[in-house]
Amino acid sequence: MSRISYLLREAFTNIGRNGLVVLGAVLAVFISLTLTFGTLVFGEVVRINTLQWAEDVRVIAFVRDDALTSVPEMQAEMESWAEVESVYFVSKSEALDEARVLLSNQPATLRVIEDSPDIVPASLRIKPVNPDDYQTIVTRLQATPGLLRVQSAGQAIDAMISLRDGLQVMFWLLALALGVAAVALIANTIHMAIYARREEIEIMRLVGASNWFIRVPFLLEGAIEGFIGAALAVGFVVVAQQLAVDRLTDLPDWINVAVQHDYLYSQGALVLMFGVLAGLIGSGLSLTVHKYLRT
């Protein structure tokens, strides 16, 4: 226990001796992990909104008037498809009410519909299990008898899926690059600290101190610096995200910037662990290559 206490005390003493260098390392980790954690939170916001938009994805199958009696059988068959989550029927009268709302700003078109309400067809609204499956559903519907036509927001769905996949890849690549940068910055800081204390290291060797006894305080120093920088990053991003939720109240209903607290806590804990790990890895790299600590 006394040895552990000595190593911790030595690590904090080393931090105190090189306040400006340590401050630079902590700020570097803070900036890197703030961007990393911020990227993860922004990615979660994008994911939430993508799922929310996906909830509105529907394939519409317009039913011929002479096939309305077959709607229950068609609906049951569509619900049995593996790609389909749900199907609901919109009658001609319900479709007419919907058209009145949608076309309220187009009086000429609305007048035509009011004069000939029978031109508004009934429809089956199909929600895919996964937005990616919409084209399979469209293909199967086109081969289903009794349907007037099939309609889907194909290009919009494809654009949404591409945006989702592209942003996920970009977020992870950016997080990886920033994580590597944090490790490199800590390694450089420890390297400078070892060089500044090279005479002390030589004296400790002369009095018989083991190699690991000399190295451990530097490892602990890197871990502490990584933890402090990560803790500041987590606190900053959590506060900034909460301020965004509180202040950005005028956003459209289809944009949601709120993130579940469980996600923030779990990812925040991972960022803290990564900060400590980055500090240990950075210190370890510096200890491995520094000539004053080679065995």
Side-chain angles (χ1 to χ4, degrees):
M1 182 63 71
S2 60
R3 176 168 291 193
I4 294 175
S5 175
Y6 168 79
L7 293 174
L8 286 171
R9 186 170 62 252
E10 189 67 15
F12 279 106
T13 300
N14 290 342
I15 290 174
R17 287 174 181 171
N18 299 274
L20 289 177
V21 175
V22 170
L23 178 62
V26 169
L27 288 176
V29 175
F30 164 70
I31 293 170
S32 297
L33 293 187
T34 294
L35 292 173
T36 302
F37 190 33
T39 295
L40 293 175
V41 172
F42 182 66
E44 177 67 5
V45 170
V46 172
R47 187 189 72 83
I48 291 171
N49 282 277
T50 301
L51 289 176
Q52 183 174 311
W53 299 333
E55 287 291 317
D56 296 328
V57 170
R58 293 289 189 278
V59 177
I60 304 176
F62 295 100
V63 182
R64 292 206 315 259
D65 291 347
D66 59 0
L68 288 175
T69 55
S70 303
V71 164
E73 291 80 4
M74 286 191 287
Q75 185 170 354
E77 179 187 352
M78 294 171 191
E79 288 173 342
S80 69
W81 297 348
E83 302 86 1
V84 172
E85 180 177 318
S86 62
V87 182
Y88 69 92
F89 176 65
V90 177
S91 67
K92 291 175 70 69
S93 61
E94 291 171 331
L96 181 60
D97 292 337
E98 187 179 71
R100 287 175 177 142
V101 174
L102 294 175
L103 301 173
S104 59
N105 294 327
Q106 302 179 41
T109 305
L110 185 58
R111 188 161 50 249
V112 172
I113 292 175
E114 293 288 3
D115 292 341
S116 305
D118 285 340
I119 66 173
V120 180
S123 63
L124 288 163
R125 310 288 173 89
I126 302 98
K127 179 183 178 182
V129 173
N130 190 314
D132 305 62
D133 297 330
Y134 85 93
Q135 189 56 57
T136 302
I137 295 172
V138 169
T139 301
R140 298 184 73 169
L141 287 172
Q142 288 172 342
T144 302
L147 298 181
L148 189 64
R149 67 180 184 278
V150 179
Q151 181 175 308
S152 69
Q155 292 183 341
I157 297 172
D158 289 338
M160 180 187 70
I161 293 170
S162 297
L163 175 65
R164 179 197 64 190
D165 295 343
L167 287 175
Q168 284 178 345
V169 172
M170 182 188 73
F171 290 148
W172 283 113
L173 289 176
L174 180 58
L176 178 62
L178 292 171
V180 171
V183 171
L185 288 165
I186 291 176
N188 183 62
T189 301
I190 298 300
H191 185 87
M192 293 171 62
I194 294 171
Y195 182 80
R197 296 197 289 274
R198 61 191 182 279
E199 294 181 358
E200 297 176 28
I201 293 171
E202 291 297 331
I203 293 172
M204 292 180 71
R205 284 189 184 281
L206 291 174
V207 298
S210 68
N211 200 48
W212 275 108
F213 191 78
I214 298 172
R215 288 173 176 236
V216 168
F218 291 107
L219 289 171
L220 291 175
E221 181 181 344
I224 292 168
E225 292 171 6
F227 178 80
I228 294 173
L232 292 173
V234 170
F236 179 84
V237 172
V238 169
V239 171
Q241 194 275 333
Q242 189 58 53
L243 286 175
V245 172
D246 294 339
R247 300 292 177 85
L248 300 177
T249 56
D250 296 331
L251 291 174
D253 293 338
W254 50 272
I255 298 179
N256 179 17
V257 295
V259 175
Q260 292 292 328
H261 288 166
D262 290 346
Y263 179 86
L264 291 176
Y265 296 150
S266 62
Q267 298 301 310
L270 289 177
V271 170
L272 289 174
M273 292 172 59
F274 180 80
V276 174
L277 182 62
L280 290 172
I281 294 174
S283 299
L285 290 173
S286 186
L287 293 173
T288 301
V289 302
H290 210 294
K291 66 179 181 179
Y292 295 104
L293 289 175
R294 288 176 184 165
T295 55

